[in-house]
mmCIF file of all heavy atoms in Angstrom:
data_model
loop_
_atom_site.group_PDB
_atom_site.id
_atom_site.type_symbol
_atom_site.label_atom_id
_atom_site.label_comp_id
_atom_site.label_asym_id
_atom_site.label_seq_id
_atom_site.Cartn_x
_atom_site.Cartn_y
_atom_site.Cartn_z
ATOM 1 N N SER A 219 14.893 -24.144 13.361
ATOM 2 C CA SER A 219 14.188 -23.870 12.104
ATOM 3 C C SER A 219 13.523 -22.501 12.138
ATOM 4 O O SER A 219 13.463 -21.810 11.123
ATOM 5 C CB SER A 219 13.140 -24.947 11.821
ATOM 6 O OG SER A 219 12.118 -24.913 12.789
ATOM 7 N N THR A 220 13.026 -22.054 13.283
ATOM 8 C CA THR A 220 12.416 -20.722 13.343
ATOM 9 C C THR A 220 13.487 -19.642 13.259
ATOM 10 O O THR A 220 13.225 -18.563 12.746
ATOM 11 C CB THR A 220 11.598 -20.532 14.635
ATOM 12 O OG1 THR A 220 12.424 -20.800 15.757
ATOM 13 C CG2 THR A 220 10.374 -21.415 14.639
ATOM 14 N N ALA A 221 14.680 -19.926 13.705
ATOM 15 C CA ALA A 221 15.758 -18.948 13.605
ATOM 16 C C ALA A 221 16.158 -18.720 12.153
ATOM 17 O O ALA A 221 16.566 -17.628 11.776
ATOM 18 C CB ALA A 221 16.963 -19.397 14.424
ATOM 19 N N VAL A 222 16.044 -19.743 11.313
ATOM 20 C CA VAL A 222 16.381 -19.611 9.907
ATOM 21 C C VAL A 222 15.404 -18.653 9.224
ATOM 22 O O VAL A 222 15.782 -17.843 8.395
ATOM 23 C CB VAL A 222 16.366 -20.995 9.208
ATOM 24 C CG1 VAL A 222 16.459 -20.852 7.703
ATOM 25 C CG2 VAL A 222 17.488 -21.857 9.742
ATOM 26 N N TYR A 223 14.124 -18.710 9.574
ATOM 27 C CA TYR A 223 13.121 -17.869 8.942
ATOM 28 C C TYR A 223 13.191 -16.421 9.410
ATOM 29 O O TYR A 223 12.795 -15.529 8.696
ATOM 30 C CB TYR A 223 11.715 -18.422 9.210
ATOM 31 C CG TYR A 223 11.452 -19.709 8.481
ATOM 32 C CD1 TYR A 223 11.302 -20.889 9.175
ATOM 33 C CD2 TYR A 223 11.365 -19.728 7.104
ATOM 34 C CE1 TYR A 223 11.073 -22.079 8.502
ATOM 35 C CE2 TYR A 223 11.142 -20.904 6.421
ATOM 36 C CZ TYR A 223 10.983 -22.078 7.131
ATOM 37 O OH TYR A 223 10.770 -23.237 6.463
ATOM 38 N N ALA A 224 13.664 -16.177 10.600
ATOM 39 C CA ALA A 224 13.669 -14.822 11.153
ATOM 40 C C ALA A 224 15.078 -14.266 11.281
ATOM 41 O O ALA A 224 15.389 -13.592 12.236
ATOM 42 C CB ALA A 224 12.972 -14.828 12.502
ATOM 43 N N GLN A 225 15.937 -14.540 10.298
ATOM 44 C CA GLN A 225 17.304 -14.047 10.375
ATOM 45 C C GLN A 225 17.333 -12.553 10.105
ATOM 46 O O GLN A 225 17.048 -12.098 9.003
ATOM 47 C CB GLN A 225 18.193 -14.762 9.362
ATOM 48 C CG GLN A 225 18.532 -16.167 9.749
ATOM 49 C CD GLN A 225 19.440 -16.816 8.729
ATOM 50 O OE1 GLN A 225 19.536 -16.373 7.609
ATOM 51 N NE2 GLN A 225 20.098 -17.881 9.131
ATOM 52 N N GLU A 226 17.676 -11.809 11.125
ATOM 53 C CA GLU A 226 17.792 -10.368 10.966
ATOM 54 C C GLU A 226 19.140 -10.044 10.366
ATOM 55 O O GLU A 226 20.136 -10.722 10.631
ATOM 56 C CB GLU A 226 17.629 -9.669 12.306
ATOM 57 C CG GLU A 226 16.244 -9.751 12.867
ATOM 58 C CD GLU A 226 16.103 -8.994 14.169
ATOM 59 O OE1 GLU A 226 17.135 -8.690 14.814
ATOM 60 O OE2 GLU A 226 14.961 -8.694 14.541
ATOM 61 N N LYS A 227 19.166 -8.990 9.567
ATOM 62 C CA LYS A 227 20.425 -8.528 8.989
ATOM 63 C C LYS A 227 20.380 -7.008 8.916
ATOM 64 O O LYS A 227 19.307 -6.395 8.919
ATOM 65 C CB LYS A 227 20.649 -9.134 7.614
ATOM 66 C CG LYS A 227 19.606 -8.774 6.577
ATOM 67 C CD LYS A 227 19.910 -9.443 5.261
ATOM 68 C CE LYS A 227 18.844 -9.132 4.221
ATOM 69 N NZ LYS A 227 19.176 -9.723 2.953
ATOM 70 N N THR A 228 21.532 -6.409 8.838
ATOM 71 C CA THR A 228 21.618 -4.966 8.712
ATOM 72 C C THR A 228 21.642 -4.603 7.236
ATOM 73 O O THR A 228 22.490 -5.077 6.489
ATOM 74 C CB THR A 228 22.879 -4.429 9.406
ATOM 75 O OG1 THR A 228 22.838 -4.806 10.786
ATOM 76 C CG2 THR A 228 22.962 -2.924 9.300
ATOM 77 N N VAL A 229 20.680 -3.788 6.847
ATOM 78 C CA VAL A 229 20.605 -3.305 5.468
ATOM 79 C C VAL A 229 21.062 -1.857 5.473
ATOM 80 O O VAL A 229 20.591 -1.050 6.271
ATOM 81 C CB VAL A 229 19.157 -3.408 4.923
ATOM 82 C CG1 VAL A 229 19.066 -2.853 3.515
ATOM 83 C CG2 VAL A 229 18.674 -4.846 4.960
ATOM 84 N N THR A 230 22.000 -1.532 4.597
ATOM 85 C CA THR A 230 22.500 -0.169 4.480
ATOM 86 C C THR A 230 22.206 0.342 3.077
ATOM 87 O O THR A 230 21.842 -0.425 2.190
ATOM 88 C CB THR A 230 24.020 -0.103 4.736
ATOM 89 O OG1 THR A 230 24.677 -0.936 3.780
ATOM 90 C CG2 THR A 230 24.363 -0.546 6.139
ATOM 91 N N GLY A 231 22.372 1.627 2.897
ATOM 92 C CA GLY A 231 22.154 2.179 1.564
ATOM 93 C C GLY A 231 22.223 3.682 1.558
ATOM 94 O O GLY A 231 22.608 4.312 2.535
ATOM 95 N N ILE A 232 21.829 4.231 0.423
ATOM 96 C CA ILE A 232 21.842 5.677 0.226
ATOM 97 C C ILE A 232 20.574 6.077 -0.520
ATOM 98 O O ILE A 232 20.077 5.333 -1.366
ATOM 99 C CB ILE A 232 23.111 6.139 -0.520
ATOM 100 C CG1 ILE A 232 23.224 7.655 -0.510
ATOM 101 C CG2 ILE A 232 23.152 5.580 -1.926
ATOM 102 C CD1 ILE A 232 24.588 8.159 -0.920
ATOM 103 N N VAL A 233 20.049 7.240 -0.173
ATOM 104 C CA VAL A 233 18.851 7.781 -0.819
ATOM 105 C C VAL A 233 19.244 9.078 -1.512
ATOM 106 O O VAL A 233 19.856 9.947 -0.906
ATOM 107 C CB VAL A 233 17.722 8.039 0.199
ATOM 108 C CG1 VAL A 233 16.480 8.563 -0.510
ATOM 109 C CG2 VAL A 233 17.403 6.773 0.981
ATOM 110 N N LYS A 234 18.897 9.169 -2.823
ATOM 111 C CA LYS A 234 19.255 10.333 -3.627
ATOM 112 C C LYS A 234 18.028 10.915 -4.303
ATOM 113 O O LYS A 234 17.012 10.240 -4.457
ATOM 114 C CB LYS A 234 20.273 9.945 -4.706
ATOM 115 C CG LYS A 234 21.590 9.445 -4.186
ATOM 116 C CD LYS A 234 22.515 9.100 -5.329
ATOM 117 C CE LYS A 234 23.865 8.623 -4.811
ATOM 118 N NZ LYS A 234 24.785 8.314 -5.922
ATOM 119 N N ASP A 235 18.159 12.167 -4.739
ATOM 120 C CA ASP A 235 17.145 12.797 -5.572
ATOM 121 C C ASP A 235 17.364 12.298 -6.996
ATOM 122 O O ASP A 235 18.483 12.324 -7.503
ATOM 123 C CB ASP A 235 17.296 14.319 -5.516
ATOM 124 C CG ASP A 235 16.244 15.034 -6.327
ATOM 125 O OD1 ASP A 235 16.318 14.986 -7.577
ATOM 126 O OD2 ASP A 235 15.347 15.648 -5.733
ATOM 127 N N LEU A 236 16.304 11.825 -7.658
ATOM 128 C CA LEU A 236 16.437 11.252 -8.995
ATOM 129 C C LEU A 236 16.919 12.281 -10.011
ATOM 130 O O LEU A 236 17.773 11.985 -10.842
ATOM 131 C CB LEU A 236 15.097 10.662 -9.453
ATOM 132 C CG LEU A 236 15.085 10.035 -10.850
ATOM 133 C CD1 LEU A 236 15.984 8.813 -10.887
ATOM 134 C CD2 LEU A 236 13.684 9.663 -11.270
ATOM 135 N N LYS A 237 16.405 13.495 -9.921
ATOM 136 C CA LYS A 237 16.716 14.520 -10.912
ATOM 137 C C LYS A 237 18.137 15.062 -10.771
ATOM 138 O O LYS A 237 18.866 15.191 -11.740
ATOM 139 C CB LYS A 237 15.700 15.655 -10.814
ATOM 140 C CG LYS A 237 15.714 16.604 -11.973
ATOM 141 C CD LYS A 237 14.551 17.571 -11.879
ATOM 142 C CE LYS A 237 14.468 18.436 -13.119
ATOM 143 N NZ LYS A 237 13.322 19.349 -13.069
ATOM 144 N N THR A 238 18.535 15.376 -9.544
ATOM 145 C CA THR A 238 19.834 16.016 -9.319
ATOM 146 C C THR A 238 20.939 15.027 -8.949
ATOM 147 O O THR A 238 22.111 15.328 -9.119
ATOM 148 C CB THR A 238 19.739 17.063 -8.193
ATOM 149 O OG1 THR A 238 19.424 16.403 -6.964
ATOM 150 C CG2 THR A 238 18.701 18.118 -8.511
ATOM 151 N N GLY A 239 20.563 13.887 -8.403
ATOM 152 C CA GLY A 239 21.563 12.920 -7.949
ATOM 153 C C GLY A 239 22.142 13.253 -6.591
ATOM 154 O O GLY A 239 23.025 12.560 -6.097
ATOM 155 N N ASN A 240 21.662 14.325 -5.970
ATOM 156 C CA ASN A 240 22.159 14.730 -4.651
ATOM 157 C C ASN A 240 21.592 13.816 -3.573
ATOM 158 O O ASN A 240 20.439 13.389 -3.659
ATOM 159 C CB ASN A 240 21.757 16.172 -4.347
ATOM 160 C CG ASN A 240 22.440 17.167 -5.264
ATOM 161 O OD1 ASN A 240 23.516 16.908 -5.787
ATOM 162 N ND2 ASN A 240 21.804 18.311 -5.468
ATOM 163 N N PRO A 241 22.382 13.533 -2.516
ATOM 164 C CA PRO A 241 21.863 12.719 -1.408
ATOM 165 C C PRO A 241 20.773 13.478 -0.653
ATOM 166 O O PRO A 241 20.801 14.708 -0.569
ATOM 167 C CB PRO A 241 23.090 12.490 -0.529
ATOM 168 C CG PRO A 241 24.073 13.530 -0.925
ATOM 169 C CD PRO A 241 23.772 13.921 -2.327
ATOM 170 N N LEU A 242 19.793 12.728 -0.136
ATOM 171 C CA LEU A 242 18.677 13.328 0.597
ATOM 172 C C LEU A 242 18.776 13.006 2.083
ATOM 173 O O LEU A 242 18.633 11.860 2.482
ATOM 174 C CB LEU A 242 17.344 12.799 0.056
ATOM 175 C CG LEU A 242 16.975 13.228 -1.356
ATOM 176 C CD1 LEU A 242 15.714 12.507 -1.815
ATOM 177 C CD2 LEU A 242 16.773 14.726 -1.419
ATOM 178 N N PRO A 243 19.017 14.017 2.931
ATOM 179 C CA PRO A 243 19.003 13.784 4.380
ATOM 180 C C PRO A 243 17.575 13.778 4.907
ATOM 181 O O PRO A 243 16.658 14.268 4.253
ATOM 182 C CB PRO A 243 19.783 14.983 4.927
ATOM 183 C CG PRO A 243 19.594 16.057 3.910
ATOM 184 C CD PRO A 243 19.436 15.356 2.579
ATOM 185 N N SER A 244 17.388 13.230 6.085
ATOM 186 C CA SER A 244 16.105 13.229 6.820
ATOM 187 C C SER A 244 14.996 12.423 6.155
ATOM 188 O O SER A 244 13.828 12.674 6.404
ATOM 189 C CB SER A 244 15.614 14.655 7.076
ATOM 190 O OG SER A 244 16.596 15.384 7.776
ATOM 191 N N VAL A 245 15.338 11.457 5.316
ATOM 192 C CA VAL A 245 14.338 10.560 4.739
ATOM 193 C C VAL A 245 14.030 9.485 5.784
ATOM 194 O O VAL A 245 14.937 8.898 6.369
ATOM 195 C CB VAL A 245 14.843 9.890 3.441
ATOM 196 C CG1 VAL A 245 13.840 8.870 2.920
ATOM 197 C CG2 VAL A 245 15.141 10.937 2.385
ATOM 198 N N THR A 246 12.752 9.224 6.037
ATOM 199 C CA THR A 246 12.357 8.196 6.982
ATOM 200 C C THR A 246 12.341 6.851 6.269
ATOM 201 O O THR A 246 11.688 6.692 5.241
ATOM 202 C CB THR A 246 10.965 8.477 7.571
ATOM 203 O OG1 THR A 246 10.995 9.759 8.206
ATOM 204 C CG2 THR A 246 10.557 7.418 8.573
ATOM 205 N N VAL A 247 13.072 5.887 6.821
ATOM 206 C CA VAL A 247 13.121 4.522 6.287
ATOM 207 C C VAL A 247 12.443 3.642 7.337
ATOM 208 O O VAL A 247 12.898 3.577 8.476
ATOM 209 C CB VAL A 247 14.575 4.053 6.061
ATOM 210 C CG1 VAL A 247 14.598 2.671 5.447
ATOM 211 C CG2 VAL A 247 15.334 5.046 5.199
ATOM 212 N N SER A 248 11.347 2.972 6.956
ATOM 213 C CA SER A 248 10.620 2.153 7.922
ATOM 214 C C SER A 248 10.201 0.837 7.300
ATOM 215 O O SER A 248 10.011 0.730 6.093
ATOM 216 C CB SER A 248 9.387 2.910 8.440
ATOM 217 O OG SER A 248 8.527 3.234 7.374
#
């Protein structure tokens, strides 16, 4: 039951500039 609550998963994605739509490198995700 504790394993069900703490299921880790890999989350992926992309970060962009809202105005230009260009991808943003070096953004810290924490």
Side-chain angles (χ1 to χ4, degrees):
S219 66
T220 55
V222 169
Y223 290 112
Q225 286 181 341
E226 291 183 342
K227 62 181 178 177
T228 301
V229 178
T230 59
I232 190 166
V233 182
K234 297 180 179 181
D235 182 288
L236 179 65
K237 194 172 186 178
T238 65
N240 293 334
L242 292 174
S244 303
V245 175
T246 302
V247 183
S248 59

